[in-house]
Amino acid sequence: MTLPLSHPALSATDPELAALVGAEEQLQADTLRLIPSENYVSQAVLEASGTVLQNKYSEGYAGRRYYEGQQNIDQVERLAADRAKALFGVDHANVQPYSGSPANLAVYLAFAEPGDTVMGMALPMGGHLTHGWGVSATGKWFRGVQYGVRHDTGLIDFDEVRDLALKERPKLIFCGGTALPRTIDFAAFAEIARESGAVLVADVAHIAGLIAGGAHPSPVPHADVISTTTHKTLRGPRGAMLMSREEHAKAIDKAVFPGLQGGPHNQTTAAIAVALHEAAQPSFRDYAHAVVANARALADALLARGFELVSGGTDNHLILMDLTPKDVPGKVAAKALDRAGIVVNYNTVPYDPRKPFDPSGVRIGTPSLTSRGLTAAHMPTVAEWIDRGVTAARTGDEDALAAIRAEVADLMAAFPAPGLPTD
Ligand SMILES: *Cc1c(COP(=O)(O)O)cnc(C)c1O
């Protein structure tokens, strides 16, 4: 199905760029997008992020700016922060971080000194770069010590985490990650942080929408600081927030501005406010639970087809497949699935014998397909496409990939994507 042309001003000024945007809209319409950190934002979120709010400089915070003319911007930022506080049940919310990585860097600035020990989950185990991994500034400027998951279960071993924390006495402990298919036990992390005298940071970037919708336990009241992006399951614009109890509010605000950033991106703040409003509606609870139900159904259907899943399944929106038994490297499978109209990312699995640029796994998730209205009843078909795609990747069968691509586009045409142009 060909989408209508949109963005008339852009097309008139810069047809070359407009054509690329149009092609991306078509791609997002036609494909089955399974990258677990991606989503489709609503038309309302898109509109808010494309407003003249972007013309303003607003260094400082509402009521305490270094620029005049903030009559409306102050209200926008207060609205976003108040909505975050109400939705997540926190005392304080800073909605200015440009994205998840700078938000996390601000946490280091607020609570640690260069050279201090910090603790997080190792990247190849499912953690994030910014949790003290070596190639990141957080691993270069701080001394990162890293925990993982157990080889036999794929689950976090809290005895290991406790032993490491008591031995290393980190200033910060990060929990949360990018490839964790299971529920995060915030209370267990909080107990360890208390015992070891660390500040506990719950980085819920991936699962913020599930938490808001009641489909994953909340880090409140366990975590000292909550860091999240706004563009993953929360279904807002690309941005981030830092939340905390009142006692840490000043330190966090000072770290974000003037510690790390200049002016906030007001158009993004506005779009965050819209996304938080949407996430407070009953329909968003349904969405969050449907994301999890779809992931469970997809995991079951993949297991029935002989796929090996890290930790044996999923509790959330995400599934990590180890393709070793299928005899296809993750990257080969991911590239073949892309040709079949199924967008995934290759990913390391815990204890991966292969290299990070050519790992054993593929990471998938259900936030985007759920935003389009696919249900658990569709998941056996999705699993079948993945199975056929992975087999075609192994045998080099391009015709099979093309056939899947047509079937995918056919189904997706019946489920219009939020935010994309329609007639
Ligand atoms: C996505 C993510 C981030 C970083 O967000 P960016 O916006 O890409 O900088 C940080 N932490 C976790 C756990 C994430 O999943």
Side-chain angles (χ1 to χ4, degrees):
M1 193 171 66
T2 309
L3 296 182
L5 285 179
S6 198
H7 320 297
L10 182 60
S11 302
T13 302
D14 190 342
E16 188 181 4
L17 193 280
L20 290 171
V21 173
E24 179 60 27
E25 287 169 341
Q26 191 71 54
L27 189 71
Q28 291 191 22
D30 291 345
T31 53
L32 180 62
R33 300 173 58 233
L34 294 181
I35 293 177
S37 47
E38 292 187 349
N39 214 326
Y40 293 92
V41 299
S42 69
Q43 186 64 32
V45 167
L46 276 183
E47 284 181 15
S49 55
T51 54
V52 297
L53 300 185
Q54 93 93 38
N55 294 345
K56 308 280 292 189
Y57 242 104
S58 314
E59 285 181 355
Y61 290 100
R64 299 176 276 139
R65 303 283 187 191
Y66 292 81
Y67 293 74
E68 297 312 312
Q70 306 299 323
Q71 294 85 342
N72 304 308
I73 299 299
D74 275 4
Q75 295 185 65
V76 168
E77 193 172 307
R78 284 202 180 102
L79 201 54
D82 287 346
R83 287 175 178 174
K85 288 192 269 183
L87 186 63
F88 290 95
V90 291
D91 297 340
H92 181 68
N94 185 312
V95 295
Q96 293 193 5
Y98 298 143
S99 212
S101 304
N104 284 348
L105 199 54
V107 174
Y108 287 82
L109 189 59
F111 297 102
E113 296 289 331
D116 277 350
T117 299
V118 298
M119 191 167 135
M121 184 178 243
L123 180 68
M125 293 282 180
H128 192 259
L129 277 166
T130 56
H131 297 181
W133 189 244
V135 299
S136 150
T138 63
K140 288 184 190 296
W141 297 342
F142 300 88
R143 189 176 150 268
V145 296
Q146 310 262 276
Y147 60 87
V149 294
R150 286 175 61 110
H151 203 165
D152 53 348
T153 59
L155 302 176
I156 292 169
D157 181 340
F158 283 100
D159 292 331
E160 183 212 354
V161 176
R162 175 179 286 101
D163 289 348
L164 193 62
L166 292 176
K167 177 164 157 265
E168 302 287 356
R169 298 279 167 181
K171 278 272 176 63
L172 296 170
I173 296 177
F174 279 86
C175 63
T178 62
L180 306 178
R182 294 298 182 176
T183 301
I184 299 171
D185 188 344
F186 296 115
F189 274 107
E191 196 184 310
I192 292 168
R194 239 187 341 265
E195 284 173 43
S196 59
V199 171
L200 178 64
V201 188
D203 183 349
V204 299
H206 260 261
I207 54 174
L210 304 185
I211 293 166
H216 186 291
S218 171
V220 178
H222 307 294
D224 299 296
V225 180
I226 300 166
S227 173
T228 185
T229 57
T230 48
H231 48 270
K232 298 179 184 175
T233 50
L234 194 54
R235 222 160 56 174
R238 303 199 80 86
M241 306 191 293
L242 289 172
M243 298 180 281
S244 71
R245 285 190 291 275
E246 193 54 43
E247 61 179 298
H248 298 309
K250 267 215 172 91
I252 287 171
D253 285 355
K254 257 179 66 185
V256 173
F257 175 87
L260 197 66
Q261 298 188 167
H265 294 179
N266 297 313
Q267 76 284 7
T268 300
T269 307
I272 288 173
V274 175
L276 291 167
H277 177 69
E278 292 176 348
Q281 306 309 313
S283 59
F284 195 85
R285 292 189 80 80
D286 298 341
Y287 168 68
H289 284 93
V291 167
V292 174
N294 281 343
R296 291 224 169 107
L298 182 53
D300 287 345
L302 288 166
L303 287 168
R305 289 177 172 275
F307 280 86
E308 187 171 321
L309 309 185
V310 171
S311 83
T314 182
D315 297 328
N316 55 28
H317 63 302
L318 181 152
I319 295 166
L320 188 55
M321 306 193 283
D322 183 348
L323 294 180
T324 310
K326 297 283 183 184
D327 204 21
V328 189
K331 194 180 203 169
V332 173
K335 289 190 174 300
L337 287 170
D338 190 52
R339 296 199 292 284
I342 299 172
V343 189
V344 304
N345 70 274
Y346 60 87
N347 212 96
T348 55
V349 297
Y351 303 95
D352 203 324
R354 301 177 65 92
K355 301 238 155 48
F357 280 124
D358 186 19
S360 301
V362 159
R363 189 183 69 147
I364 60 177
T366 51
S368 296
L369 64 78
T370 307
S371 288
R372 293 185 74 158
L374 269 65
T375 67
H378 296 105
M379 295 308 111
T381 304
V382 173
E384 186 205 315
W385 285 333
I386 292 172
D387 196 5
R388 283 163 55 198
V390 167
T391 301
R394 189 179 60 239
T395 57
D397 186 347
E398 292 301 320
D399 291 345
L401 296 176
I404 299 167
R405 190 177 185 98
E407 290 173 38
V408 168
D410 228 33
L411 180 69
M412 298 325 284
F415 292 89
L420 296 194
T422 49
D423 286 310

